[in-house]
Amino acid sequence: MKHSTTKLGYYLLTTKLKDFSCILFLLFTINSFSQNKISGVITDGNGNKIPLVEVYNKTSGTKYLSNSKGEFSIESDKSGNYELVFYKGNYAVLEKTVSTSEESIVIVLDKVTSLSEVVINKQKEKIFALNKLKDIDETAIYAGKKTEVISLNKLTANKATNNARQIFAQVVGLTINESSDGGLQLSIGGRGLDPNRTSNFNTRQNGYDISADVLGYPESYYATPTEALEEIQVVRGAASLQYGTQFGGLVNFKLKTPSKKPFEFTTRNTIGSYGLFTNFTSLSGTKDKFSYYTFYNYKQGNGFRSNSEFESKNYFGNLNYQFNDKTSLHLDYTYFDYLAQQAGGLTDVMFNDNPTQSNRTRNWFAVNWNLFALRLKHKFNATADFSLQLFGLDASRKAVGYRSNRVSNPDVVGTERDLIVGAFVNWGAEARFLKRYKIKENTSAFLIGTKYYQSENSGIQGPGSSGSDANFDVADAEFPFYANQSNYTYPNLNLSVFGENIFKITPNFSVTPGFRFEKIKTQAEGSYRKINLDLAGNVILDETKFENNIKDRNFVLLGVGLSYKPQNRIEFYGNVSQNYRSVTFNDIRTVSPSQVIDEDITDEKGYTSDIGIRGQIGDKVTFDASVYGLYYDDKIGEYETRNPNGSAAIVRFRDNIGTAVTYGFETMFDWSLNKTFFKQNDNFVWNVFSNIAITNSEYLKSEAPNIEGNKVEFVPLYNIKTGTGIGYKNFISSVQFTYVSSQFTEANNSKTDSSDNTYGIFGQIPAYYVADFSTSYKWQNWKLEAGITNFTNNSYFTRRATGYPGPGIIPSDTRTFYTTLEFVF
């Protein structure tokens, strides 16, 4: 009986396996018969085959690359005509309509020589328009979202110092904390989000995280050098469901792709005001299935204030291997190391008297960053894509200096300094699968993904040495009764599952719902030392307190996006999604003489929504106009109060202030004057742009005193950037004007006190304007760039810091000059 039962089980198992195999074979057969191919070869005028040509399918929005023999093959899900675009450097762009019924298609590209810089840029602009974030791009969905792409090839700007005011000029609504450290850090915000180190965005490079800790410390101490970038992608609104929970959305720095030549060498050397010198050198190439891109970037300068010198070294290496047309492997390594002296903050009186002064001679800041990433991309067929990204960080940031909240007090040589050391070790993996499918002849798409993230970070605060050098060792022996001491580890864990689906209801209308499940566990485990002294300086209390603060939560976020395209190149879009921001290391425990944190501080929750219209009018005008709203519950912010510990000191108190709303109108307009009035001249280009954001805000309710009804901090009513670019043959110039109205820096809306010569951390950021000019000239393999930033030499500031690099007002750069010489071989 037992033997018979075994035979019966074996028979059933084999039968089921056969049935399953038949089903798989049937599905594969159906899938195979449903595929149509467009294939051919690309040659020059002499019949020579051209390898590695970019082929764009304008009909489906997909991109392909011809192989080493100039052959290309495009899979399509239905028969018919398709619009294809063929592009390779030094060849004229070719647009051609082909049919799936055609066989052995031969494409002939015309080789062109001695192209002017203007003509080359026009060709790149045409390809950029094809590459701009589409509804679907590999394993990502952008339909119905607020998306903006910055093409660095189109910019005439100070790229050597990552001038964010120029680089992000055509991204609406951004606020910027400016610094004079050669662009070593990026600080952008917007819509009421604190710009400090871009901490309210999910910041990525080539699709992987680069901030210190995505959950516990999402600040970006490393900024990808602009000279190495191909484009910057900014995705806001419901995009948070794909890339995280944050209110700001995504900023992704996409580095240049390898040259299609076997070897390409580029070097750029820049000199500028206040001892600025930078060198950027890159090597790039493609050989058969292997390609590479690598660069080294060195910067040094003195800054426009005394005590502001800096030096940085940045290396990046990218290796790629294309196994076949469907599978590729990509390895990235980034090294970044810099040391900067920090001039400290100023009071209002000091700033108005002389914004270039500094009374801090012993403040230093150091960063060491090591980023690793391995990406696998696989295309199962024309309708199914998979990607797997492994990434890791081994990094540190160190700061030592005199940080008295009485900013006007001079730094006394020989006294103790405050030391803060943070170490960041984390790794993660993110997998995505996207499948396109048909609903009544309309292509829809489903995306599912998961992300695992784990970190083991640490932070030390203690006494720094009495010297003036960049010594980041703890000076326990020298100052045994230093009050502000702590030692913590932060073991964080995050597991998320996310998904979206484009439902193409009609050829013109789509609905994209999405979800994100999050498991977040943040922990602060360690101790801090509490020391009280009497008036004579004697120790009357010395105790060590231990903490193990664990926050463990699970939740689901939902969102939906709508897209309606009544005609080609015009789109109405809208989205709404839930958002979430977990408390950070600094929200759990910090020691700062200017800031105190509520022990019961908790996470932020809220909603983000956009409604807008974007597109092109002919080939002359590009525009994007939208209204948005951000609703925050338990919004974390700061307000001025007496120190809750009983001392008489006035501090910025950080807490969940209450419920707030930010809303506004944003519009971006770019008009090509040359295509409007000078159509016949291919060597001439002239465009104007305007970028206007009008934003309002209010605290709807708050348990804190005198907050309800106030404006939200970091929200200027008017944020305007406008400019023009003009070029003829190899000469290109641009002028840009920026105006930002006044904004509050804390929730009780303290007014600026021009007679404050003590703190400098309270009050508004006054309205300011600034103008920049850049120009370039190219001759053969050489290019000369030059410019003047803040050429009206305005004195202004964009930040009142409560910690490093202050406390106090951090002045922005005065008028500066720069010149860059580039050589490409």
Side-chain angles (χ1 to χ4, degrees):
M1 183 70 180
K2 184 177 179 181
H3 181 69
S4 301
T5 304
T6 305
K7 287 181 66 178
L8 177 62
Y10 177 78
Y11 171 76
L12 291 173
L13 177 62
T14 53
T15 302
K16 293 295 183 183
L17 287 174
K18 288 178 182 178
D19 291 343
F20 183 66
S21 300
C22 291
I23 292 171
L24 286 178
F25 177 76
L26 181 60
L27 288 174
F28 178 80
T29 305
I30 292 173
N31 186 64
S32 300
F33 279 115
S34 66
Q35 298 300 318
N36 296 276
K37 280 191 176 183
I38 302 172
S39 58
V41 64
I42 306 169
T43 67
D44 61 15
N46 299 318
N48 299 312
K49 295 176 181 179
I50 308 175
L52 305 177
V53 177
E54 295 177 18
V55 184
Y56 297 85
N57 186 340
K58 292 177 67 176
T59 306
S60 64
T62 51
K63 173 184 169 182
Y64 302 85
L65 196 68
S66 68
N67 63 20
S68 58
K69 299 178 181 179
E71 299 166 341
F72 69 95
S73 179
I74 299 174
E75 294 180 344
S76 57
D77 52 9
K78 65 178 181 179
S79 60
N81 294 330
Y82 287 83
E83 293 182 72
L84 303 183
V85 179
F86 299 85
Y87 170 73
K88 184 173 182 176
N90 298 323
Y91 291 87
V93 174
L94 176 65
E95 298 187 45
K96 187 177 180 63
T97 300
V98 299
S99 173
T100 53
S101 62
E102 296 183 55
E103 295 182 4
S104 302
I105 301 172
V106 177
I107 302 296
V108 179
L109 298 186
D110 295 328
K111 190 162 187 175
V112 289
T113 56
S114 303
L115 286 181
S116 72
E117 186 76 346
V118 166
V119 173
I120 292 172
N121 284 349
K122 283 182 176 180
Q123 290 207 143
K124 290 179 179 177
E125 185 175 346
K126 185 178 292 187
I127 299 304
F128 168 72
L130 295 171
N131 271 327
K132 200 167 183 178
L133 290 180
K134 304 175 284 291
D135 287 354
I136 303 170
D137 189 8
E138 293 186 342
T139 55
I141 292 177
Y142 301 107
K145 298 172 175 59
K146 179 79 170 178
T147 60
E148 290 144 312
V149 182
I150 304 166
S151 174
L152 278 303
N153 286 327
K154 297 170 61 178
L155 295 182
T156 306
N158 187 355
K159 299 177 183 178
T161 60
N162 297 353
N163 190 311
R165 190 174 59 245
Q166 292 180 295
I167 303 301
F168 290 89
Q170 296 197 30
V171 178
V172 294
L174 290 187
T175 51
I176 300 169
N177 279 353
E178 298 178 5
S179 60
S180 58
D181 59 1
L184 300 180
Q185 293 184 22
L186 175 68
S187 292
I188 59 173
R191 298 181 171 183
L193 304 173
D194 188 348
N196 187 38
R197 296 195 182 97
T198 320
S199 59
N200 283 288
F201 285 91
N202 180 239
T203 312
R204 300 190 176 200
Q205 174 180 279
N206 283 349
Y208 50 86
D209 295 305
I210 62 173
S211 59
D213 185 292
V214 176
L215 297 172
Y217 199 59
E219 301 192 4
S220 298
Y221 288 99
Y222 163 66
T224 311
T226 307
E227 291 170 302
L229 290 175
E230 184 173 291
E231 64 185 37
I232 303 173
Q233 302 168 342
V234 181
V235 187
R236 291 183 278 185
S240 60
L241 296 182
Q242 282 188 67
Y243 300 103
T245 65
Q246 63 288 318
F247 286 84
L250 167 76
V251 177
N252 182 38
F253 297 97
K254 187 177 178 181
L255 286 146
K256 291 179 179 177
T257 54
S259 169
K260 300 301 185 293
K261 299 186 294 185
F263 178 82
E264 183 176 274
F265 169 81
T266 299
T267 185
R268 291 168 54 89
N269 291 278
T270 301
I271 57 174
S273 304
Y274 311 109
L276 176 70
F277 169 73
T278 77
N279 170 265
F280 177 87
T281 299
S282 68
L283 299 175
S284 178
T286 300
K287 179 64 174 177
D288 298 327
K289 296 182 178 183
F290 174 75
S291 63
Y292 63 95
Y293 176 72
T294 183
F295 71 76
Y296 178 77
N297 187 206
Y298 175 81
K299 294 182 181 181
Q300 70 173 36
N302 299 322
F304 75 100
R305 300 171 64 196
S306 55
N307 308 315
S308 296
E309 63 184 79
F310 61 86
E311 181 182 44
S312 76
K313 305 174 185 69
N314 186 189
Y315 169 78
F316 173 79
N318 162 245
L319 304 176
N320 311 280
Y321 190 78
Q322 191 78 36
F323 291 96
N324 50 52
D325 293 340
K326 295 183 177 182
T327 307
S328 61
L329 191 65
H330 313 264
L331 174 67
D332 286 4
Y333 169 67
T334 304
Y335 169 79
F336 179 59
D337 184 86
Y338 86 84
L339 175 66
Q341 188 174 15
Q342 298 185 318
L346 303 176
T347 67
D348 289 81
V349 169
M350 295 169 69
F351 175 81
N352 293 329
D353 179 56
N354 178 13
T356 66
Q357 66 178 294
S358 164
N359 63 355
R360 299 287 181 264
T361 61
R362 303 187 302 148
N363 288 14
W364 295 90
F365 192 84
V367 166
N368 183 272
W369 229 245
N370 291 273
L371 278 163
F372 309 86
L374 181 66
R375 302 187 301 280
L376 173 68
K377 297 181 181 180
H378 180 69
K379 182 181 286 292
F380 291 101
N381 51 49
T383 63
D385 291 91
F386 172 78
S387 65
L388 174 63
Q389 185 111 260
L390 306 176
F391 56 92
L393 173 69
D394 183 2
S396 67
R397 52 88 75 188
K398 302 175 182 179
V400 64
Y402 178 66
R403 293 192 301 154
S404 170
N405 62 349
R406 295 182 176 271
V407 174
S408 57
N409 289 354
D411 185 359
V412 180
V413 176
T415 60
E416 66 196 40
R417 295 181 288 178
D418 296 317
L419 174 70
I420 301 178
V421 176
F424 312 103
V425 179
N426 56 62
W427 70 276
E430 185 174 73
R432 290 166 170 258
F433 175 76
L434 186 140
K435 173 66 177 177
R436 296 173 175 87
Y437 62 93
K438 290 283 188 178
I439 298 180
K440 294 183 178 180
E441 297 303 315
N442 297 315
T443 300
S444 297
F446 171 67
L447 165 70
I448 188 71
T450 184
K451 181 179 179 181
Y452 179 86
Y453 181 82
Q454 182 177 327
S455 63
E456 183 73 31
N457 306 308
S458 61
I460 297 174
Q461 299 187 34
S465 70
S466 60
S468 300
D469 60 341
N471 183 344
F472 298 104
D473 296 326
V474 179
D476 280 329
E478 191 175 4
F479 302 103
F481 297 111
Y482 176 86
N484 300 329
Q485 296 189 53
S486 65
N487 190 334
Y488 279 81
T489 58
Y490 306 98
N492 290 338
L493 178 67
N494 177 219
L495 176 64
S496 59
V497 179
F498 53 89
E500 291 193 19
N501 197 110
I502 297 180
F503 291 103
K504 203 85 168 185
I505 309 302
T506 72
N508 300 327
F509 178 64
S510 66
V511 179
T512 308
F515 76 93
R516 187 178 186 93
F517 166 78
E518 287 279 345
K519 175 179 176 56
I520 298 177
K521 182 180 180 181
T522 54
Q523 187 173 356
E525 182 179 8
S527 62
Y528 66 95
R529 189 177 179 189
K530 188 175 182 180
I531 299 176
N532 291 342
L533 307 176
D534 62 19
L535 295 178
N538 300 309
V539 177
I540 58 176
L541 176 68
D542 183 357
E543 63 178 358
T544 300
K545 292 193 173 184
F546 294 90
E547 286 185 317
N548 188 8
N549 192 335
I550 300 175
K551 294 182 180 291
D552 195 352
R553 52 276 204 209
N554 304 303
F555 55 89
V556 175
L557 301 179
L558 302 176
V560 63
L562 306 175
S563 173
Y564 175 61
K565 301 176 181 178
Q567 62 186 70
N568 191 27
R569 297 185 177 181
I570 300 293
E571 179 186 13
F572 292 90
Y573 63 92
N575 62 72
V576 61
S577 70
Q578 295 173 285
N579 296 98
Y580 180 92
R581 179 185 179 273
S582 63
V583 294
T584 68
F585 300 164
N586 284 344
D587 294 330
I588 296 174
R589 170 61 56 191
T590 191
V591 179
S592 170
S594 302
Q595 184 185 68
V596 175
I597 295 174
D598 190 306
E599 292 183 356
D600 298 322
I601 196 168
T602 188
D603 304 327
E604 290 179 308
K605 306 174 186 67
Y607 298 87
T608 304
S609 62
D610 295 276
I611 300 175
I613 179 175
R614 60 189 170 202
Q616 286 183 267
I617 302 175
D619 59 352
K620 304 175 183 64
V621 174
T622 302
F623 68 93
D624 189 342
S626 65
V627 294
Y628 79 89
L630 263 71
Y631 176 87
Y632 310 81
D633 199 15
D634 292 325
K635 185 182 188 310
I636 294 175
E638 299 176 357
Y639 59 92
E640 178 184 347
T641 187
R642 290 191 179 278
N643 197 323
N645 68 7
S647 70
I650 302 297
V651 296
R652 292 262 286 267
F653 188 68
R654 189 167 179 81
D655 190 11
N656 296 104
I657 295 178
T659 301
V661 63
T662 302
Y663 54 93
F665 170 74
E666 299 174 338
T667 179
M668 174 64 206
F669 178 86
D670 191 301
W671 180 21
S672 175
L673 297 177
N674 63 288
K675 292 180 181 177
T676 305
F677 302 110
F678 308 97
K679 299 179 182 179
Q680 304 303 318
N681 194 336
D682 288 337
N683 280 302
F684 179 70
V685 64
W686 185 17
N687 79 296
V688 295
F689 78 90
S690 68
N691 171 354
I692 300 173
I694 303 173
T695 311
N696 206 350
S697 63
E698 183 180 357
Y699 277 100
L700 301 178
K701 60 181 181 180
S702 175
E703 295 181 2
N706 305 315
I707 300 296
E708 191 170 313
N710 285 358
K711 301 294 184 185
V712 176
E713 54 270 43
F714 311 116
V715 182
L717 179 61
Y718 301 107
N719 188 343
I720 300 171
K721 299 177 182 68
T722 185
T724 183
I726 189 167
Y728 180 69
K729 292 188 176 180
N730 290 315
F731 179 79
I732 299 175
S733 295
S734 69
V735 178
Q736 179 185 311
F737 176 84
T738 300
Y739 171 79
V740 180
S741 61
S742 64
Q743 54 188 293
F744 295 107
T745 59
E746 27 72 48
N748 54 1
N749 291 183
S750 298
K751 303 292 184 182
T752 297
D753 180 4
S754 59
S755 62
D756 173 20
N757 196 27
T758 303
Y759 299 108
I761 63 174
F762 307 114
Q764 297 166 279
I765 296 173
Y768 66 90
Y769 71 88
V770 60
D772 306 297
F773 170 76
S774 295
T775 188
S776 71
Y777 180 79
K778 185 176 182 181
W779 178 72
Q780 294 182 356
N781 295 339
W782 298 87
K783 182 189 283 189
L784 180 66
E785 302 175 6
I788 310 172
T789 56
N790 187 14
F791 63 74
T792 58
N793 202 29
N794 282 4
S795 293
Y796 68 100
F797 63 91
T798 62
R799 183 182 180 192
R800 291 182 184 269
T802 56
Y804 289 104
I809 292 171
I810 309 300
S812 295
D813 281 0
T814 56
R815 181 191 295 125
T816 60
F817 301 84
Y818 74 92
T819 301
T820 301
L821 182 63
E822 175 186 283
F823 174 71
V824 180
F825 172 75

